[in-house]
């Protein structure tokens, strides 16, 4: 006699609720049912192992049987099965009520949890109009039970004709979800969720090509690997195994750089294999390549909030039953276990890198350029990681040599300590464009780092604070003498008038779109006549604002350059001599200075106007002088050229003028 009953739920009718809330993730029903079947098999195995069950265990497996015509899908296991009482307890009472409570509790944030928790057995109703369970318990004398429910909160329970141990769940797929009654879709889902489940999952037969079509063989089509690499002992595995596993996970990706095998039992369980991918630039950053498993069952491939942000750049697999997945994502971050797990993974990544640094230095150096962005990003975003990484982070110089930070400090200490005892790290961001400056520094006995990665503007700031008592200066941020000032220098003595003249003369031959600060320096007679540099501070802040980070103010300002005029260079001496000659006796009248103490407002205004007029007149004359001086144009253009700043008309004028200058010098 069939037994009827009402399912004990608090929510009036749970099925519409299940359907509605889980709409976007209908597909997880299959994972849930297969997971239950796998559990049942493993419990059976445990019963046999403990001696509680003494009968024939058989080959434990899970079979998925699809009937496309009848639109039924069966999940069949030969696990421990359920007695009538157990069906009542686990299916009618507990599962239903816990699902009800769950929805009740989280209904406000239900949007967050969609897809991140399993409703277990009842998720079958997301895609079915009717579900039946046929089950026979392993227990002696147990009778087979049939349970069925058509989606209303009423079920029927009675006898089943099942004769072998285990459970067979049959879904009668409803019309809106007909896709789940197709072979292709089921195959895809099994591949996604069940690829590494610990018990063989069988879907139909393997096929072979025969007489112009595919036909079934009599070999079972097992869709999973029951012992994926991360569950095996690292000591038993070779590098090649790790590479093969990576290729199986990501068939289209470049080879990874290194791997890490994670394995911890206490205070939480976690296994997994992570890979450092090759990263060439920021455009290539791909997140969420880590797959999260729970006891070999795929859960998700979005691991944000579970691992620190920079680690989401890694690839691979994490398997942990201790990550609470049936809660909202925002809750995860504050979960104590998740914090521990996240801390553990960060530590492991640092450990592994340190080990590579110590034992495989050559490999690390050869792969550094592809690893660097990841490490710098980690150091910038995670303080703990940064403190560890200071040990294994490498610096590369413009000659392509790699140093640890400590070794580098030792290497440059002698030459690159300035008069205030600060260590000065020189760097180039583009070894080709900044070549003249790099060369000048090298000639002086300095070493120049290459910091050409997109994060380097921020990274340099970080290093300054972490290393302490040091300063980073881009090699073109000042004249080579001023980059690392060794002693107080004697500056040229110029009158205010001379300074102002110098300023006007040079501004008038420089491209007008930038800001310039013209200063006179004694750089020695063999040094270049003019040096164009960009202050480290301004440039760095402009670079950082370009990367984003709330410094837009700097990004909007016009570029500013320091124009250093070498007053000891013979060409400059000659040009300035010519200027002095041209302006001899032309002292600028200053009616403002000559005003009597009791001058009226009107008199003051008039004097100021006269003064302005005189200044303008002089500036106009200075400009005329400058534009008439070919050599002045020539040396300024050479300085622009050294900085890659000479373009367009300026460049073609320069070429024409150079040809003329060369011809004159040679043919005369
Ligand atoms: P959970 O798996 O989280 O316990 P489910 O709703 O998936 O929740 O399942 C409820 C319970 O029903 C299980 O704990 C188990 O006792 C029982 N059950 C479900 N499927 C099977 C099965 N295939 N074989 C034996 N017992 C099962
Ligand atoms: Mg379950």
């Amino acid at each position: 006699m069939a037994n009827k009953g009402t399912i004990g739920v608090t929510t009036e009718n749970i099925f519409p609720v299940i359907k509605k809330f889980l709409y976007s993730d209908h597909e997880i029903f299959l994972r849930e049912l297969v997971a239950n079947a796998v559990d049942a098999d493993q419990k059976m195995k445990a019963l046999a192992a403990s001696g509680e069950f003494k009968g024939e265990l058989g080959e434990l497996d899970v079979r998925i049987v699809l009937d496309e015509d009848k639109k039924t899908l069966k999940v069949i296991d030969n696990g421990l099965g359920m007695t009538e009482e157990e069906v009542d307890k686990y299916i009618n009472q507990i599962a239903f009520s816990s699902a009800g409570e769950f929805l009740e509790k989280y209904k406000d944030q239900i949007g967050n949890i969609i897809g991140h928790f399993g409703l277990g057995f009842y998720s079958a109703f997301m895609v079915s109009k009717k579900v039946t369970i046929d089950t026979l318990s392993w227990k002696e004398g147990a009778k087979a039970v049939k349970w069925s429910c058509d989606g209303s909160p009423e079920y029927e329970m009675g006898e089943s004709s099942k004769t072998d141990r285990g459970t067979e769940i049959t879904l009668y797929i409803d019309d809106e979800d007909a896709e789940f009654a197709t072979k292709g879709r089921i195959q895809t889902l099994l591949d996604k969720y069940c690829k590494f489940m610990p018990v063989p999952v069988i879907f139909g037969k393997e096929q072979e090509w025969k007489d112009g079509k595919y036909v079934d063989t009599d070999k079972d089509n097992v869709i999973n690997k029951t012992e994926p690499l991360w569950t095996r002992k690292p000591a038993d595995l070779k590098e090649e195994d790790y590479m093969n596993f990576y290729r199986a996970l990501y068939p289209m990706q470049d080879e990874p750089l290194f791997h890490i095998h994670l394995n911890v039992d206490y205070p939480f369980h976690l296994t997994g294999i992570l890979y450092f991918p090759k990263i060439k630039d920021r455009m290539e950053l791909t997140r969420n390549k880590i797959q999260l498993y729970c006891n070999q069952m795929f859960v998700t491939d979005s691991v944000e909030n579970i691992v620190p942000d920079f680690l989401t750049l890694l690839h691979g697999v994490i398997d942990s039953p201790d990550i609470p997945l049936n809660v909202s994502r925002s809750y995860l971050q504050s979960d104590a276990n998740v914090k521990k797990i996240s801390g553990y993974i960060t530590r492991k990544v640092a450990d592994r890198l340190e080990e590579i640094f110590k034992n495989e230095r050559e490999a690390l150096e050869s792969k550094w350029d592809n690893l660097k962005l990841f490490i710098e990003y980690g150091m910038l975003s995670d303080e703990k990681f940064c403190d560890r990484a200071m040990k294994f982070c490498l610096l590369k110089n413009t000659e392509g040599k790699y140093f640890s930070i400590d070794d580098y400090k030792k290497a440059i200490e002698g030459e690159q300590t300035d008069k205030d005892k600060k260590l000065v790290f020189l760097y180039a961001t583009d070894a080709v464009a900044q070549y003249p400056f790099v060369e000048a520094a090298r000639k002086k006995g300095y070493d120049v780092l290459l910091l050409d990665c997109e994060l380097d503007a921020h990274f340099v700031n970080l290093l300054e604070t972490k290393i302490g008592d040091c300063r980073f200066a881009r090699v073109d941020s000042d004249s080579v003498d001023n980059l690392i000032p060794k002693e107080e220098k004697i500056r040229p003595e110029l009158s205010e008038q001379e300074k102002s003249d110098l300023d006007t003369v040079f501004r008038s031959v420089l491209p007008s779109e930038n800001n310039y600060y013209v200063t006179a320096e004694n750089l020695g007679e063999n040094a270049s006549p003019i040096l164009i540099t960009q202050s480290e501070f301004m440039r760095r802040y402009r670079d950082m604002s370009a990367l984003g980070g709330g410094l837009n103010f700097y990004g909007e300002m016009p570029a500013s350059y320091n124009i250093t005029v070498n007053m000891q260079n013979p060409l400059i001496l000659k040009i300035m001599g010519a200027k002095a000659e041209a302006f001899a006796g032309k002292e600028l009248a200053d009616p403002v200075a000559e005003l009597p103490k009791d001058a009226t407002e009107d008199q003051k205004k008039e004097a100021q106007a006269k003064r302005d007029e005189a200044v303008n007149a002089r500036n106009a004359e200075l400009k005329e002088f400058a534009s008439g001086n070919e050599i002045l144009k020539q040396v300024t253009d050479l300085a622009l050229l050294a900085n890659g700043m000479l373009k367009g008309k300026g460049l073609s004028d320069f070429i024409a003028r150079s040809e003329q200058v060369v011809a004159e010098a040679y043919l005369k």
Side-chain angles (χ1 to χ4, degrees):
M1 244 289 288
N3 213 333
K4 282 197 178 191
T6 312
I7 293 154
V9 272
T10 45
T11 315
E12 182 41 40
N13 188 340
I14 197 161
F15 299 109
V17 182
I18 292 175
K19 282 203 169 183
K20 188 168 155 227
F21 286 143
L22 297 178
Y23 185 76
S24 66
D25 236 352
H26 276 183
E27 62 178 46
I28 59 138
F29 78 92
L30 189 58
R31 174 187 82 186
E32 294 298 325
L33 295 181
V34 177
N36 283 348
V38 167
D39 278 354
D41 280 354
Q42 287 192 312
K43 284 178 193 159
M44 194 62 226
K45 204 193 246 169
L47 286 169
S50 73
E52 226 174 307
F53 173 73
K54 294 191 178 64
E56 190 63 42
L57 194 57
E59 290 287 322
L60 295 171
D61 58 26
V62 175
R63 285 172 189 272
I64 314 295
V65 180
L66 173 71
D67 187 325
E68 285 186 324
D69 298 330
K70 287 193 188 134
K71 295 215 176 84
T72 61
L73 182 68
K74 287 175 191 282
V75 178
I76 307 163
D77 66 66
N78 46 5
L80 83 178
M82 286 180 275
T83 61
E84 188 172 350
E85 294 78 56
E86 284 165 339
V87 173
D88 199 44
K89 186 169 164 205
Y90 297 129
I91 304 295
N92 294 338
Q93 310 297 324
I94 295 184
F96 253 112
S97 59
S98 67
E101 266 167 37
F102 189 89
L103 288 176
E104 196 51 42
K105 198 161 154 198
Y106 290 103
K107 65 173 176 267
D108 297 335
Q109 40 172 321
I110 208 93
N112 288 334
I113 39 183
I114 285 175
H116 296 306
F117 71 98
L119 260 184
F121 168 71
Y122 282 98
S123 61
F125 287 97
M126 294 195 295
V127 298
S128 316
K129 51 188 174 216
K130 181 177 158 192
V131 178
T132 63
I133 305 175
D134 287 276
T135 181
L136 176 59
S137 167
W138 65 285
K139 288 178 182 159
E140 281 237 16
K143 285 202 184 101
V145 184
K146 185 178 202 81
W147 178 95
S148 95
C149 180
D150 63 2
S152 65
E154 275 154 306
Y155 63 86
E156 276 181 36
M157 230 158 77
E159 266 170 47
S160 163
S161 57
K162 188 165 172 60
T163 53
D164 47 353
R165 187 195 69 220
T167 303
E168 176 172 328
I169 312 271
T170 309
L171 310 189
Y172 296 81
I173 304 290
D174 62 27
D175 299 336
E176 302 120 73
D177 292 291
E179 59 179 298
F180 295 115
T182 62
K183 193 174 169 202
R185 187 81 168 105
I186 296 300
Q187 181 73 51
T188 312
L189 291 186
L190 292 173
D191 278 342
K192 176 168 173 187
Y193 290 107
C194 309
K195 213 167 28 184
F196 299 116
M197 282 190 169
V199 169
V201 177
I202 296 158
F203 184 44
K205 297 285 177 194
E206 280 184 10
Q207 293 199 310
E208 65 182 5
W209 186 254
K210 214 173 170 183
D211 306 328
K213 61 176 182 211
Y214 279 110
V215 291
D216 282 355
T217 61
D218 40 351
K219 252 184 99 187
D220 284 337
N221 174 33
V222 179
I223 59 107
N224 56 332
K225 287 210 159 52
T226 56
E227 282 186 5
L229 213 64
W230 74 85
T231 64
R232 294 170 52 193
K233 281 205 214 80
D236 298 343
L237 300 172
K238 292 195 194 68
E239 189 57 36
E240 201 188 303
D241 298 320
Y242 289 104
M243 287 301 153
N244 288 339
F245 185 61
Y246 186 87
R247 267 179 232 124
L249 285 178
Y250 316 103
M252 308 303 284
Q253 292 271 323
D254 272 355
E255 296 262 296
L257 302 173
F258 299 104
H259 72 266
I260 312 176
H261 200 134
L262 303 169
N263 195 340
V264 60
D265 279 328
Y266 183 82
F268 48 82
H269 285 277
L270 184 136
T271 48
I273 299 172
L274 294 178
Y275 295 89
F276 295 102
K278 247 186 209 171
I279 306 176
K280 286 175 215 107
D281 56 57
R282 202 154 57 129
M283 302 301 290
E284 275 182 29
L285 295 187
T286 44
R287 283 167 200 274
N288 292 328
K289 285 275 184 180
I290 297 181
Q291 303 181 354
L292 188 62
Y293 287 77
C294 175
N295 292 327
Q296 295 175 231
M297 170 180 91
F298 175 81
V299 179
T300 176
D301 53 12
S302 71
V303 293
E304 69 264 32
N305 299 335
I306 295 169
V307 302
D309 187 55
F310 79 102
L311 293 180
T312 62
L313 300 176
L314 296 181
H315 296 179
V317 175
I318 296 174
D319 188 335
S320 174
D322 293 327
I323 299 173
L325 293 158
N326 53 352
V327 296
S328 74
R329 289 249 126 183
S330 49
Y331 173 83
L332 270 182
Q333 260 175 323
S334 56
D335 182 82
N337 245 347
V338 170
K339 273 196 188 141
K340 272 187 222 144
I341 289 174
S342 150
Y344 167 82
I345 298 175
T346 308
R347 215 161 50 241
K348 278 290 155 185
V349 168
D351 286 350
R352 177 76 171 115
L353 287 165
E354 196 175 320
E355 178 191 308
I356 296 170
F357 172 81
K358 282 191 188 137
N359 306 329
E360 299 171 61
R361 182 65 179 267
E362 240 168 76
L364 182 65
E365 289 183 5
S366 72
K367 295 171 186 176
W368 184 257
D369 293 354
N370 287 314
L371 196 62
K372 171 177 143 114
L373 194 68
F374 166 78
I375 295 192
E376 290 188 5
Y377 182 49
M379 290 174 78
L380 284 163
S381 62
D382 190 302
E383 177 133 32
K384 281 207 182 106
F385 181 76
C386 179
D387 291 341
R388 294 284 314 271
M390 288 299 288
K391 219 186 251 174
F392 54 71
C393 176
L394 298 184
L395 298 173
K396 179 185 179 179
N397 74 6
T398 42
E399 285 158 81
K401 267 194 177 162
Y402 295 87
F403 302 82
S404 73
I405 295 174
D406 276 341
D407 288 347
Y408 193 71
K409 273 165 68 180
K410 285 193 196 104
I412 63 169
E413 225 161 39
E415 289 293 329
Q416 295 178 222
T417 305
D418 71 6
K419 61 181 166 56
D420 304 322
K421 302 257 176 307
K422 268 202 171 176
L423 197 55
V424 184
F425 290 73
L426 299 180
Y427 67 98
T429 52
D430 184 331
V432 176
Q434 293 149 17
Y435 183 82
F437 294 94
V438 173
E439 268 308 293
R442 277 206 207 124
K443 268 199 198 123
K444 186 110 185 156
Y446 298 160
D447 191 80
V448 182
L449 292 172
L450 182 64
L451 295 178
D452 58 354
C453 156
E454 289 164 274
L455 291 177
D456 279 332
H458 289 283
F459 189 57
V460 156
N461 273 359
L462 179 76
L463 287 179
E464 276 176 353
T465 33
K466 287 284 163 189
I467 297 173
D469 246 352
C470 76
R471 179 160 63 77
F472 277 69
R474 201 165 98 173
V475 73
D476 58 349
S477 63
D478 214 326
S479 69
V480 78
D481 288 324
N482 286 348
L483 281 174
I484 309 177
K486 297 284 173 65
E487 63 219 26
E488 293 307 338
K489 262 200 339 222
I490 303 157
R491 312 269 310 257
E493 274 177 40
L494 296 184
S495 68
E496 286 308 309
Q497 186 62 61
E498 283 169 319
K499 279 186 202 160
S500 147
D501 284 359
L502 193 72
D503 191 76
T504 311
V505 165
F506 280 96
R507 265 173 208 280
S508 68
V509 288
L510 285 160
S512 57
E513 64 269 23
N514 305 313
N515 272 340
Y516 302 101
Y517 300 96
V518 181
T519 51
E521 294 270 2
N522 288 331
L523 302 177
E525 57 183 300
N526 295 323
S528 303
I530 296 164
L531 205 67
I532 302 178
T533 57
Q534 225 185 342
S535 106
E536 174 71 18
F537 175 81
M538 285 298 289
R539 205 215 65 255
R540 203 191 289 178
Y541 282 86
R542 279 172 68 88
D543 288 354
M544 294 204 295
S545 92
L547 276 175
L551 298 160
N552 285 336
F553 163 73
Y554 292 100
E556 282 158 16
M557 306 209 340
S560 319
Y561 295 92
N562 294 324
I563 308 300
T564 309
V565 181
N566 179 8
M567 300 308 282
Q568 291 176 321
N569 178 280
L571 290 169
I572 294 295
L573 284 172
K574 191 161 179 186
I575 294 166
M576 294 324 284
K579 194 229 76 180
E581 214 169 280
F583 286 79
K586 293 190 182 172
E587 287 305 303
L588 201 53
D590 191 352
V592 180
E594 286 155 19
L595 278 176
K597 272 199 184 116
D598 55 355
T600 64
E601 277 308 304
D602 281 351
Q603 284 175 314
K604 281 185 192 164
K605 259 191 198 156
E606 196 184 335
Q608 187 58 48
K610 275 195 182 143
R611 167 76 190 173
D612 289 349
E613 203 178 306
V615 169
N616 286 342
R618 185 180 181 94
N619 284 349
E621 262 185 82
L622 283 166
K623 278 183 194 161
E624 209 182 301
F625 163 79
S627 64
N629 191 318
E630 297 277 85
I631 297 301
L632 172 64
K633 291 272 312 159
Q634 196 69 4
V635 291
T636 329
D637 281 356
L638 282 168
L640 287 168
L641 197 65
N643 285 54
M645 291 165 72
L646 194 60
K647 291 179 183 129
K649 181 165 185 319
L651 182 60
S652 78
D653 286 353
F654 169 78
I655 293 170
R657 195 178 333 108
S658 300
E659 282 168 358
Q660 215 179 321
V661 170
V662 171
E664 269 169 31
Y666 189 60
L667 302 174
K668 230 182 222 168

